[in-house]
């Protein structure tokens, strides 16, 4: 569904931002609504998605994984996209919008660094100045991506406030935007944040599910039983799920970061331990304490290590259309190595959560089910983290 | 009559400009806040904005971020701040008080409960930084029932048609943000503020306070020349930071504020 005029998905979403940004959000929404109706804009977007990013991505039959688990499992290979994750679908779209709006500077937040790399990439391609906010903790654990961003000419700004992860990087990006809003476009990387971002980012990501649907119908002649994707802010999952929302028989499963276990409090499972609140401009499920202070989260995967979640997810959670579950750090790392050995694919630790869910619940899912897992990114960036974790 | 309205009526009568001060409640401790507020009232503060700290203050610069962390170290809650207000009122402190915070702590406390407890404890107004007027329907309605003033921001990027809508739901005064950016002291004042104030005045009779970046008596003088009240925040918070371990924290901040108010026209 599309959000209402105020940007609400039911009771979730909205624009809870300082007044300074309200006009920029309106400007962005107007630009987006106008552009998306123009054939020339859509052609340009499709051109870059196809020629530059490498779409469409394959829907790969994971034969050995399927045999081991007793299901027919396909992987949607977003990891094969240029820059190594689905994030580029959105950054190409948004950089085209930024150009139409005449913005001279790009900023972004990043957790795992994939969105930062994708933003740095499109900024380099169009010769626009780019600065990326990244938490110190994430800079440390995703150092390869920091190096990549620097190579691409972006300035990575080390965020040392709060828990020094994605949440804090986003605070700093918003502070920058409040200050430089007149000439800067903020390329937000997920389906969170104030309206219109959750709608725009979803629309740029929904191509994942559009392709997957065509591909599975061609290969199998029927719709899948399950779609499984990891949920940090929620862009790769909504991207895969969106085109299947009306196919009521297709079960949609979002996998959150269970960290060290829900009971320990060291996790990022918003739908297990969160309550409705407002963070970074939208109303949604948020991990918070009894005074409304945002909790610090934990996940082995930087891209899922976030206290909030996109508002459309909260809406679909309460409607019961998407089921959410969590897997632990340990299960995710095991799935990571399992996929490496069984399929010769090194997945991002984020995507490994989706794989882990299927491995863990393969009996519960029934028998011989047709499953698509969104392999949202590749895991080169995580090799060091996994190495450290195992030893 | 609400203390904010009364204050601006007095100021008008005396042809005087107002001085609004921001402090983070519980920075560094609640008893320090009590002392500081007692002193700054004597030093000539006309309205006090009392910050309820939030873990993710995305409209604040480094100074107020640090103040929020200091206060949150001992888990300052909305309830604690409202209790502080109650004690201040019991202690005879009559300076108009505005609760200044972000939406999530209010939402968690309960919007109606927040308004009603504000009213019971002696709060006069509220400013919620990330609650623009578009999202504020219920809040404005509840607040007006209890005569809690709803203060909204108008910034250099607010178009005139938004100004028209914002002044309709505003009460007490309008907070004009002098430049795009987060809170924090700056050497140079924004050149845009006078024209924004003029624009606002075309649409409302409410008093207009100008803030963001003001830290010296000279700046206070300049700004109070074209608006009804001047807001100083980060600069005073910095003074608190410098006196964190001093027994005379209240008096030091009081002296600093007294010097600033000399700039008022």
């Amino acid at each position: 569904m599309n959000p209402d005029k105020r940007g609400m998905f039911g009771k979730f979403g909205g624009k809870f931002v300082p007044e300074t940004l309200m006009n920029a959000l309106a400007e962005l929404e107007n630009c987006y609504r106008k552009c998306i109706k123009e054939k020339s804009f859509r052609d340009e977007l499709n051109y870059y998605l196809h020629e530059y990013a490498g779409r469409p991505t394959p829907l790969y039959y994971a034969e050995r994984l399927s045999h081991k688990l007793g299901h027919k499992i396909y992987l949607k290979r977003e990891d094969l996209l240029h820059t190594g994750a689905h994030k580029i679908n959105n950054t190409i779209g948004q950089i085209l919008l930024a150009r139409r709006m005449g913005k001279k500077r790009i900023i972004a937040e990043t957790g795992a660094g994939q969105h930062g790399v994708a933003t740095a990439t499109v900024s380099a391609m169009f010769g626009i100045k780019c600065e990326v906010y990244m938490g110190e903790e994430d800079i440390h654990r995703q150092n390869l991506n920091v190096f990549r961003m620097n190579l691409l000419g972006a300035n990575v700004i080390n965020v040392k406030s709060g828990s020094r992860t994605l949440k804090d990087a986003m605070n700093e990006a918003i502070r920058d935007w409040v200050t430089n809003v007149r000439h800067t476009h903020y390329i937000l990387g997920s389906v969170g944040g104030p309206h219109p971002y959750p709608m725009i980012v979803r629309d740029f990501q929904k191509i994942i599910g559009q392709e997957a649907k065509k591909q599975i119908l061609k290969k199998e002649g029927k719709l899948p039983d399950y779609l499984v994707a990891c949920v940090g802010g929620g862009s790769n999952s909504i991207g895969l799920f969106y085109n299947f929302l009306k196919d009521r028989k297709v079960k949609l499963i979002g996998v959150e970061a269970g960290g060290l276990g829900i009971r320990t409090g060291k996790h990022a499972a918003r739908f297990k331990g969160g309550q409705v609140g407002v963070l970074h401009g939208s109303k949604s499920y948020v991990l918070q304490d009894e005074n409304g202070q945002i909790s610090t989260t934990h996940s082995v995967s930087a891209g899922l290590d976030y206290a909030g979640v996109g508002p459309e997810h909260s809406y679909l959670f309460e409607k019961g259309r998407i089921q959410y579950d969590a897997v632990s750090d340990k299960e995710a790392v095991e799935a990571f190595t399992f996929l490496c050995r069984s399929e010769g694919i090194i997945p991002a630790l984020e995507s490994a959560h989706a794989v882990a869910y299927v491995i863990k619940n393969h009996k519960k899912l029934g028998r011989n089910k047709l499953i698509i897992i969104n392999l949202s990114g590749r895991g080169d960036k995580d090799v060091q983290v996994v190495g450290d974790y195992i030893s | 009559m609400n203390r904010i309205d009364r204050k601006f009526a007095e100021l008008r009568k005396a042809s005087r400009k107002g001085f609004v001060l921001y402090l983070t409640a519980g920075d560094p401790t609640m008893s320090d806040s009590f002392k500081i507020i007692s002193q700054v009232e004597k030093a000539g503060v006309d309205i006090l904005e009392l910050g309820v700290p939030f873990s993710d203050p995305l409209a604040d610069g480094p100074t107020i971020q640090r103040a929020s962390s200091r206060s949150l170290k001992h888990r300052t809650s909305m309830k604690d701040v409202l209790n502080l207000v109650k004690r201040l009122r019991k202690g005879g402190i009559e300076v108009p008080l505005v609760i200044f915070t972000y939406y999530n702590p209010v939402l968690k406390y309960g919007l109606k409960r927040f308004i009603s407890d504000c009213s019971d404890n002696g709060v006069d107004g509220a400013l919620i930084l990330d609650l623009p007027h578009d999202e504020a329907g219920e809040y404005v309605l509840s607040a007006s029932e209890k005569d809690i003033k709803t203060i909204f921001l108008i910034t250099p990027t607010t178009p005139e048609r938004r100004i028209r809508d914002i002044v309709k739901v505003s009460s007490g005064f309008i907070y004009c943000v002098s430049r795009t950016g987060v809170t924090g002291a700056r050497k140079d004042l924004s050149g845009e503020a006078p024209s924004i104030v003029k624009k606002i005045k075309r649409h409302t009779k409410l008093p207009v306070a100008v803030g963001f970046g003001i830290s010296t008596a000279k700046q206070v003088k300049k700004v109070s020349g074209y608006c009804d009240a001047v807001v100083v925040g980060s600069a005073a918070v910095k003074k608190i930071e410098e006196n964190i371990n001093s027994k005379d924290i209240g008096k030091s901040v009081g002296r600093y504020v007294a010097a600033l108010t000399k700039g008022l026209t």
Side-chain angles (χ1 to χ4, degrees), chain A residues 64-91:
Chain A
R64 292 186 67 214
L65 185 69
S66 296
H67 283 306
K68 278 180 186 160
L69 300 179
H71 296 292
K72 199 157 200 191
I73 300 171
Y74 282 88
L75 303 175
K76 181 61 176 161
R77 298 292 309 273
E78 294 298 294
D79 62 315
L80 291 177
L81 280 175
H82 180 41
T83 72
H86 71 291
K87 293 293 186 188
I88 192 130
N89 300 328
N90 169 46
T91 59

Side-chain angles (χ1 to χ4, degrees), chain B residues 30 42-43 49 58 63 112 116 161 168 182 188 209 262 264:
Chain B
M30 276 295 176
K42 282 184 218 156
E49 294 175 346
L58 50 77
T63 306
K112 285 226 157 110
S116 140
R161 60 187 156 70
K168 275 184 209 151
V182 293
D188 305 313
K262 290 215 170 75
L264 289 173

Side-chain angles (χ1 to χ4, degrees), chain B residues 92-105:
Chain B
I93 288 172
E94 277 302 309
V95 66
L97 289 169
V98 175
I99 294 283
F100 191 97
T101 189
Y102 290 82
Y103 193 35
N104 202 51

